[in-house]
Amino acid sequence: MTSTQKNSDWIYVVVQTPGENEMFLGQHDDEKDISFIPVFHQKEDALQCLPLMKRDRSLKYEVQAVHREEISEQTAKTGFLLYFLDENGVILERIDPADGQIGK
């Protein structure tokens, strides 16, 4: 398995309906009216945080490694922000992909 601590070009994200019309699992902060994609430095953190996320329980979800540039490009087009979270869902860093690449 790829560890972002060993290879910082890769981060982890939750993918909804993997293999068929898959998309990154987005979240919405109703209080601030902000939509974001949760991303993680380690796969284990994403797996631990998954039960805390709002999601349609009838769909399948999978944690996948994604290249930083790929997720930055895709989310910049949609207006979503990227939030690095820890395993408890605490925000570590907020990133606006429209401003450029995700910092390392």
Side-chain angles (χ1 to χ4, degrees):
M1 286 183 194
T2 304
S3 169
T4 58
Q5 289 182 333
K6 294 178 185 169
N7 184 350
S8 63
D9 290 336
W10 295 89
I11 56 178
Y12 294 92
V13 65
V14 177
V15 174
Q16 180 177 297
T17 61
E20 54 180 80
N21 299 323
E22 62 187 24
M23 63 175 57
F24 300 127
L25 175 62
Q27 299 290 285
H28 188 78
D29 181 337
D30 294 327
E31 188 176 300
K32 296 180 182 174
D33 195 28
I34 295 173
S35 295
F36 66 96
I37 305 291
V39 294
F40 302 86
H41 292 289
Q42 295 186 30
K43 183 175 185 175
E44 295 75 19
D45 292 346
L47 290 169
Q48 209 169 336
C49 189
L50 181 58
L52 304 175
M53 294 183 208
K54 296 176 194 170
R55 63 191 195 285
D56 181 341
R57 300 204 190 274
S58 68
L59 299 176
K60 285 181 73 176
Y61 297 90
E62 182 177 275
V63 174
Q64 295 182 4
V66 64
H67 199 274
R68 288 172 178 266
E69 286 184 29
E70 178 186 343
I71 195 167
S72 182
E73 290 171 4
Q74 289 185 23
T75 54
K77 297 174 190 173
T78 63
F80 277 74
L81 299 177
L82 295 170
Y83 281 13
F84 272 98
L85 304 180
D86 70 7
E87 70 277 7
N88 298 310
V90 174
I91 299 168
L92 303 173
E93 184 178 2
R94 293 173 177 90
I95 299 160
D96 185 347
D99 291 339
Q101 288 193 88
I102 303 172
K104 291 185 182 179

